[in-house]
Amino acid sequence: METHWHLYEKDFFWDLPVEKEKFLSLSTKRSLKKNEFVFFEEDPGESCFYLEKGTVKIFRVTALGKEPIFFVRKAGEMFGLAEVIDAKERKCNAQALTPSVLYEINKENFEFLLSRYHSLSRKVIKVLDRRLRYLGEQIENLMVCDVATRMLKLLFYLCCNSLIDRASLTLNKPIKVPINLTQEQMASLTGSCQQTVSETLKELQQSGLIQISKKEITLLNPLQIIDKISQ
């Protein structure tokens, strides 16, 4: 089970109240409408972001017009870290999936915080390491897992925050997936196509692992799903 909890990221500043206060004081608050872009591929990487509310997808557009999604950033997460540290151009696009609120800090102010607060620097290193391992696992999933397993892993990933935030950590009770993705977006995240995603979701529902109602997906027994994706 432990191999999957690294997908979960607590609020970046949950144990850094002083650093958070200083970060917010040096940042610019931005409110985004659904589908509004935060930045585009090849933009200068001159800032990074703390997502206070909403969800943001990190993706690229291929020469064939496909849009593979690499990450879905949730409230409490930082993004744009790699580019701002190296001062490189953006490698992906960032677009709000829902109405969102974020704080943007420029490179100069962020580097000042990193040099002043070593705890913040360590947190950034840990987050980047966790995300690198996540991408490695995604590559492995595409090579060795069928679509059903990749779909279950995605749904579990989207629920990680809610599962761990439960006081008793009860994993045998149903939980709704808190982020509503389209089947096209699920296909992009699992390296599949919309038709296959639709068929896979139906199979997972028939097997009693999930329930689909009014575009909402519920994991009926997260513990059973953990056992299945750990095999």
Side-chain angles (χ1 to χ4, degrees):
M1 185 191 310
E2 292 181 358
T3 58
H4 300 285
W5 291 123
H6 74 266
L7 302 180
Y8 168 77
E9 293 187 10
K10 289 184 178 180
D11 187 296
F12 183 88
F13 291 105
W14 75 274
D15 57 347
L16 302 173
V18 174
E19 290 83 347
K20 181 176 183 177
E21 181 180 359
K22 191 64 175 178
F23 179 95
L24 296 181
S25 71
L26 295 174
S27 303
T28 300
K29 187 176 182 179
R30 292 174 56 183
S31 296
L32 303 174
K33 298 178 181 178
K34 181 179 179 180
N35 295 326
E36 186 174 349
F37 279 82
V38 183
F39 55 74
F40 294 92
E41 186 178 346
E42 298 185 355
D43 280 353
E46 299 173 344
S47 61
C48 60
F49 308 86
Y50 170 72
L51 187 59
E52 182 182 65
K53 177 183 177 181
T55 52
V56 170
K57 69 175 181 178
I58 311 296
F59 71 102
R60 297 190 71 177
V61 180
T62 70
L64 297 177
K66 295 184 178 181
E67 297 185 358
I69 300 174
F70 302 110
F71 296 104
V72 174
R73 293 283 162 246
K74 303 179 285 294
E77 293 187 87
M78 292 278 294
F79 63 97
L81 289 171
E83 296 95 340
V84 74
I85 290 174
D86 278 345
K88 301 292 186 179
E89 65 182 23
R90 306 289 185 189
K91 298 300 182 182
C92 299
N93 307 283
Q95 183 181 25
L97 288 173
T98 62
S100 303
V101 176
L102 56 77
Y103 286 85
E104 179 178 6
I105 188 169
N106 64 37
K107 178 178 175 63
E108 181 180 357
N109 286 333
F110 190 59
E111 288 184 341
F112 164 74
L113 292 179
L114 292 177
S115 65
R116 182 171 180 180
Y117 300 102
H118 294 166
S119 55
L120 180 63
S121 298
R122 289 194 296 270
K123 178 64 73 68
V124 169
I125 293 171
K126 289 180 179 179
V127 167
L128 290 176
D129 174 68
R130 186 184 300 121
R131 293 175 181 177
L132 183 61
R133 287 186 287 131
Y134 168 78
L135 287 175
E137 183 173 304
Q138 291 298 86
I139 294 173
E140 181 183 358
N141 290 340
L142 290 172
M143 296 176 64
V144 303
C145 297
D146 58 23
V147 177
T149 301
R150 300 204 298 268
M151 181 61 62
L152 288 175
K153 288 189 174 187
L154 171 62
L155 297 175
F156 181 81
Y157 161 68
L158 296 175
C159 287
C160 271
N161 296 43
S162 301
L163 287 167
I164 290 188
D165 284 343
R166 288 181 176 185
S168 59
L169 201 62
T170 51
L171 299 178
N172 59 343
K173 294 183 179 179
I175 186 168
K176 289 185 179 180
V177 177
I179 301 175
N180 292 327
L181 298 176
T182 65
Q183 291 187 358
E184 288 81 4
Q185 290 166 344
M186 290 182 183
S188 178
L189 280 160
T190 56
S192 184
C193 65
Q194 187 274 331
Q195 181 178 353
T196 301
V197 166
S198 177
E199 294 171 353
T200 300
L201 290 174
K202 290 179 181 177
E203 292 173 1
L204 293 175
Q205 180 168 234
Q206 291 171 354
S207 66
L209 292 171
I210 68 172
Q211 180 178 327
I212 304 173
S213 176
K214 297 180 180 179
K215 297 184 179 180
E216 288 187 339
I217 298 177
T218 300
L219 307 188
L220 296 179
N221 191 323
L223 186 59
Q224 184 180 0
I225 290 175
I226 291 174
D227 290 339
K228 191 171 184 63
I229 63 181
S230 299
Q231 294 175 358

